[in-house]
Amino acid sequence: MKFNLELSEVPNSERIFLNVLSRQPHSFGQLKAILDTGSPKTIISYIDALRLNISISGAETGEPIAGFGKGQIPSKKIKKFIFTLRSEDSTIKYVEMPVHVVDISLLKNMSQEVQNSTMRIPTIIGLDFLRFTGLKLVIDLKNHSSFLE
């Protein structure tokens, strides 16, 4: 199966996006995530967690999210988050894996500067997603093509 990715130019760089659906109970909706080979883990952003009303009650405390500006961002780890991918031939693939979600409740107790910085962080598909799914990442910048298979 081939899952197309979106190569987009943003100021001063290019980004690879993966469009997935959250199939988490009571949190259905589309996520446009940056596929980041420099991130070891998949992270659901503050904005997407709010927009999809992703419940983190009962989730265990996750490792702080680092590498984005100042400080560390608190997270919760959801052990079984459900994504849906649609292949080029419209086949559906369900992926159930652990993800980190920005801990909105703890973030509210942090400085306004940290909160503002956190709101700019997108949802990220990390290397754990590729390891977990066993999908291969193919990028052909010359032909402006990228996909998972």
Side-chain angles (χ1 to χ4, degrees):
M1 278 186 282
K2 184 176 175 182
F3 302 94
N4 288 320
L5 300 169
E6 181 183 325
L7 264 172
S8 295
E9 290 189 30
V10 294
N12 303 317
S13 68
E14 286 182 286
R15 297 281 187 247
I16 302 168
F17 290 95
L18 174 62
N19 292 309
V20 295
L21 290 174
S22 166
R23 297 293 296 171
Q24 207 56 8
H26 313 291
S27 302
F28 300 109
Q30 186 169 349
L31 295 164
K32 183 174 182 174
I34 290 180
L35 199 147
D36 184 353
T37 59
S39 176
K41 56 190 164 193
T42 296
I43 301 165
I44 307 294
S45 73
Y46 174 89
I47 297 296
D48 284 338
L50 281 176
R51 182 176 58 81
L52 295 177
N53 196 30
I54 295 172
S55 174
I56 56 173
S57 65
E60 67 183 50
T61 299
E63 300 168 18
I65 300 167
F68 297 99
K70 300 177 181 178
Q72 297 185 337
I73 301 162
S75 77
K76 290 286 192 172
K77 184 175 183 180
I78 297 175
K79 290 183 180 181
K80 292 183 178 183
F81 193 89
I82 306 166
F83 292 108
T84 302
L85 298 166
R86 182 180 301 270
S87 72
E88 188 176 66
D89 67 356
S90 294
T91 301
I92 301 295
K93 178 176 180 70
Y94 294 98
V95 176
E96 187 175 304
M97 63 176 280
V99 299
H100 287 77
V101 180
V102 172
D103 188 340
I104 297 166
S105 59
L106 285 181
L107 189 65
K108 290 178 181 177
N109 298 328
M110 300 179 88
S111 74
Q112 191 62 48
E113 182 180 12
V114 170
Q115 290 181 46
N116 291 343
S117 176
T118 301
M119 285 188 227
R120 292 188 294 271
I121 298 170
T123 291
I124 295 170
I125 298 292
L127 288 178
D128 58 345
F129 182 89
L130 297 176
R131 281 191 192 97
F132 188 83
T133 61
L135 292 170
K136 178 172 61 172
L137 172 61
V138 178
I139 302 170
D140 180 354
L141 293 176
K142 180 179 178 185
N143 293 309
H144 201 72
S145 170
S146 62
F147 56 90
L148 297 172
E149 65 176 1

